[in-house]
Structure formats: C-alpha cells, structure tokens
Amino acid sequence: MKLVKITLNNFRNYSNILITFNQNMNIFIGDNAQGKTNLLESIVMLALTKSHRVGVYPNIIQFGKMKTTIKGTVRRDRIITKLELVISENEKKAKINGTDVKKISDYISNLNVIVFTPEDLEIVKGSPNVRRNLLNIQLSQISKQYLNTYNEYNKILKTRNEYLKVLFNNSIADKDYLDVLTDKLIEKAIIIYQQRKNYLDSVNKIIDDCYKKITDECGLCVIYQPNIDFDSYEYEELRKKLKYTYKKNYLKELNYGMTLYGPHRDDFSFILKDNNLKFFGSQGQQRLAVLSFKLAEIDIFNDINGTMPLLLLDDIFSELDLKKRNRLLKFIGSRDIQSFLTTTDLKNINKRYLDNSYIYKVNDGKVERK
C-alpha cells in the first residue's frame, strides 16, 4: 500500500498544496511550527477520518474558510483508489473514487497507517484509556468486524449504564431487561477480548526483536490486563466468566450506576526485563518501547491485510542518539514500507540510508523537494 499523492485545501497552515510522494522514505525537514506535523496529521485524517493529535487546537479548517478538503491517491498492487475527506464546521463527508460513503466503517481500512509521535510516551505513562484507544485504532484498521463490534458494544454499554440508574431509582423496574442487555453485551465483549488478546500475542512475537535492533538490548514484552481474570480466551470460558462476574457484582454496579467490568476497562503493560516501564523505566526506555510496539505492528498489518501500512514518525530523532537514529533508518529501509518522517535536521545521518528517499523542505506552509 502506497500513498501516491495528497492534496490539501484550507487545512491548518496549508491553503492549497499538492505533494507527490516517494514509494519508500519521505522526510520533511524544517524548523518547529512550520507545518511538518500538520502534513502527517493530514495523512492520518485521510486514513481514519480523525486526527491522532490530542490536546491540539481542534479546528483544522483555516481561519475564515468554510471547509477543508483532503484528497489522496492510494495504490495497492495495481489498484488505484482515490480517497477524499471534506470537513466543514458541522459535517464530515468521506468519498471513495468520487462516491459518498455512508458508513465510516466502510471507508476505514482503505489506507492503513501506523503513527509514532513524541506524545506517545503517554501510551506507557498515561491512563488505561490511552492504551485501549491505541488497540481500538489499530484493530479497527485491520478488522471491520472489530470496528463494528466495538461500536455496537459501546451502544449497548451506554444503554445498560442508563438502565442501571433506572433500576437504582425504581425498585419495581424490570430487571429482566437488564439481563437481556447483559447477554448482548457479553456477546460483543467476547469478540473484543479475543481480538485484543490475539493482537497483543502477535505483537509479543515481534516486539523484542524490534527493540533489540534499535537498542541492542532485549527483554521487552507486553502483558494484557483485563479487569477480569480469565483462565482462557475460548468462547465458552469467556461467556461463563462474564455471566458469573455480572451476576456476582449486580448490587455493586447498581450502586455505582455503571458497568464496572468488561473490555471498556482493559489495560496492558510494557515490561522490560521483568520491570513495568510505567513505574521503573526511564523516559528513553518508555519512548523506545512504544516505538518498538509500533514497528512490530508493521508485520502484523501485512500478515492480516496482505499489504504494508504507511509508517508515520513525527520528530523521531529528537531524543535518539546517533547510533539509534541510524539503526532505526536501517530497520525501516529493510522493509518494503512507505514511511514519512519529520525532523529539524539530518546531521550525521548515514547517507546510504537516505539514498532512496525524497527530502522536502517545509517552511511556513510551503513544501519544496530538495
């Protein structure tokens, strides 16, 4: 899978721009606050219809304009797909080959992306919600079943939470309806648990090798941590344990007015040589652990979808020493993957790792290939 070109209209600090990309490595160089990250964000939005940036000014439409448009041409083998996303203040429209897409789930997966940013330290240090969000984004790109199931789960969860409040305030309300909702929630939860467990198992087969190739150290893995102890992830085991858990904790959930157990409370940890990096890791180790997680996902996407995703690395060199920078570029170059990197400079980078790359100078919303 390759992104051939992208066109931006009224997107953040880009009024109207067309960029044609290299099928291998694309490097955007420039000072801070010139628009390098905005370019990566536009690719993510073209793929996922939403931004990966948290805590950033949300209005991506240029000041004084009514809408922004992102267009991209994607090549997968010999098949060309034209994607388009039009966003106005109150509406978001997605198109595939000029045809409106009614359901976002039908649009996502036409362009797969893996993104690493400086803020990804929060994946290790932050709340469980940050890590769940990572799993949801990645699994939604490779499994339409997961995306649909996850959306359905959240709808049932919302209804169940609302009805728990009804039961708490009205002693004559029908508890049988709660049981129906619980059974529906369990069926969706089973699929989510199984797919998350399988995904993290796949990550664990690769992540340590990725970490070693960049750091020359080993011993990295991730551990899945649902808030229910399961003996196995077979369908019947999950179903029985979930039914038992909800029955046992009925009064507790009733008093809280919310569903306290299920995949919406999942978590996972990064473990390096038996130490949880959230509590016992340096910032450098945490950063490299997340980077290794993202690199491990490359082969998983390829195995499941039969095509490589796009790899987006924002400000990747800022906290890597020279040796790790070159090892990372060597790693990327060893895979048939299209990558997009932002940096302020390429000082002391081994030139052989840049032979097949396009280098662009970014300055105040203008992009020129060097």
Side-chain angles (χ1 to χ4, degrees):
M1 182 178 292
K2 310 288 184 182
L3 181 60
V4 179
K5 60 183 178 181
I6 195 167
T7 302
L8 306 179
N9 183 254
N10 301 330
F11 182 84
R12 292 207 184 269
N13 67 325
Y14 293 99
S15 297
N16 196 353
I17 191 170
L18 166 65
I19 309 174
T20 300
F21 296 120
N22 185 344
Q23 66 176 355
N24 298 307
M25 189 179 295
N26 299 271
I27 302 174
F28 301 100
I29 298 180
D31 295 334
N32 293 327
Q34 299 303 305
K36 302 188 303 296
T37 298
N38 293 345
L39 290 174
L40 298 195
E41 181 184 28
S42 71
I43 297 173
V44 175
M45 294 200 67
L46 185 68
L48 305 177
T49 74
K50 60 182 180 180
S51 175
H52 65 295
R53 300 166 78 181
V54 178
V56 178
Y57 180 59
N59 190 0
I60 62 169
I61 305 172
Q62 269 193 349
F63 180 75
K65 304 297 182 181
M66 301 298 293
K67 65 180 181 180
T68 183
T69 303
I70 307 170
K71 296 181 181 180
T73 301
V74 179
R75 179 172 57 79
R76 179 172 179 175
D77 298 324
R78 296 182 179 180
I79 300 174
I80 297 294
T81 303
K82 294 185 177 181
L83 303 178
E84 181 176 345
L85 187 64
V86 181
I87 302 173
S88 59
E89 186 175 348
N90 301 313
E91 191 176 30
K92 181 190 298 182
K93 287 185 178 180
K95 296 182 180 182
I96 301 176
N97 294 327
T99 302
D100 288 337
V101 177
K102 295 181 180 179
K103 294 173 61 178
I104 294 299
S105 59
D106 292 332
Y107 177 91
I108 294 174
S109 79
N110 282 280
L111 179 63
N112 295 152
V113 293
I114 294 172
V115 192
F116 178 83
T117 75
E119 292 74 28
D120 278 348
L121 274 177
E122 283 299 300
I123 293 173
V124 176
K125 297 166 61 176
S127 70
N129 184 59
V130 178
R131 291 178 284 280
R132 286 194 299 270
N133 189 52
L134 171 63
L135 289 179
N136 292 331
I137 290 172
Q138 304 307 66
L139 279 164
S140 293
Q141 291 189 80
I142 59 180
S143 171
K144 187 175 291 188
Q145 180 196 31
Y146 181 90
L147 177 57
N148 290 331
T149 300
Y150 180 71
N151 289 336
E152 290 165 1
Y153 177 88
N154 282 329
K155 291 176 183 177
I156 300 168
L157 178 66
K158 181 180 178 182
T159 303
R160 188 177 189 272
N161 287 342
E162 290 171 348
Y163 199 68
L164 280 168
K165 294 181 177 72
V166 171
L167 287 171
F168 181 80
N169 294 312
N170 186 351
S171 59
I172 63 172
D174 184 9
K175 183 180 178 296
D176 289 344
Y177 180 58
L178 181 72
D179 293 336
V180 170
L181 291 172
T182 301
D183 287 341
K184 289 182 177 179
L185 194 73
I186 287 172
E187 289 302 312
K188 305 303 178 185
I190 288 171
I191 296 172
I192 295 171
Y193 277 129
Q194 289 177 331
Q195 293 210 22
R196 286 180 178 175
K197 179 64 164 60
N198 289 339
Y199 189 77
L200 291 177
D201 283 349
S202 297
V203 168
N204 271 330
K205 294 176 182 177
I206 309 169
I207 190 171
D208 192 42
D209 183 59
C210 295
Y211 189 78
K212 183 177 180 180
K213 285 180 177 176
I214 297 172
T215 68
D216 205 27
E217 297 179 7
C218 58
L220 180 65
C221 68
V222 292
I223 296 180
Y224 187 28
Q225 297 170 315
N227 72 338
I228 302 172
D229 292 326
F230 298 113
D231 294 329
S232 80
Y233 287 83
E234 297 296 326
Y235 174 87
E236 195 57 33
E237 161 64 18
L238 291 170
R239 189 186 68 81
K240 287 181 178 179
K241 194 61 178 282
L242 284 165
K243 286 184 73 72
Y244 170 79
T245 299
Y246 288 127
K247 182 177 180 180
K248 178 184 176 182
N249 293 283
Y250 167 65
L251 291 178
K252 183 178 179 181
E253 291 191 329
L254 192 67
N255 288 327
Y256 275 91
M258 66 177 65
T259 304
L260 301 174
Y261 300 89
H264 61 288
R265 296 294 184 97
D266 272 359
D267 198 0
F268 70 92
S269 296
F270 290 84
I271 307 297
L272 180 62
K273 297 178 180 177
D274 298 325
N275 292 316
N276 189 326
L277 287 179
K278 181 173 183 176
F279 307 109
F280 302 105
S282 68
Q283 183 164 301
Q285 287 173 323
Q286 293 170 342
R287 182 181 176 88
L288 287 166
V290 177
L291 176 59
S292 300
F293 187 100
K294 299 293 183 81
L295 295 176
E297 292 178 312
I298 295 171
D299 289 336
I300 297 172
F301 272 60
N302 188 38
D303 289 343
I304 295 174
N305 284 1
T307 186
M308 289 289 195
L310 275 56
L311 179 64
L312 282 61
L313 305 174
D314 191 19
D315 194 22
I316 188 60
F317 296 142
S318 61
E319 294 185 32
L320 295 181
D321 60 40
L322 182 59
K323 185 177 289 186
K324 291 184 178 67
R325 292 183 187 186
N326 283 305
R327 282 177 173 171
L328 173 60
L329 290 176
K330 181 180 179 181
F331 181 94
I332 296 172
S334 69
R335 275 141 171 85
D336 180 25
I337 186 168
Q338 187 181 29
S339 58
F340 301 81
L341 289 69
T342 71
T343 183
T344 54
D345 66 76
L346 289 171
K347 292 179 181 178
N348 300 317
I349 295 295
N350 193 317
K351 300 301 182 185
R352 64 178 173 171
Y353 299 136
L354 306 176
D355 284 345
N356 295 318
S357 65
Y358 281 3
I359 300 175
Y360 305 85
K361 178 68 176 177
V362 181
N363 183 45
D364 193 24
K366 296 179 176 60
V367 181
E368 294 180 355
R369 184 180 163 197
K370 295 180 68 176

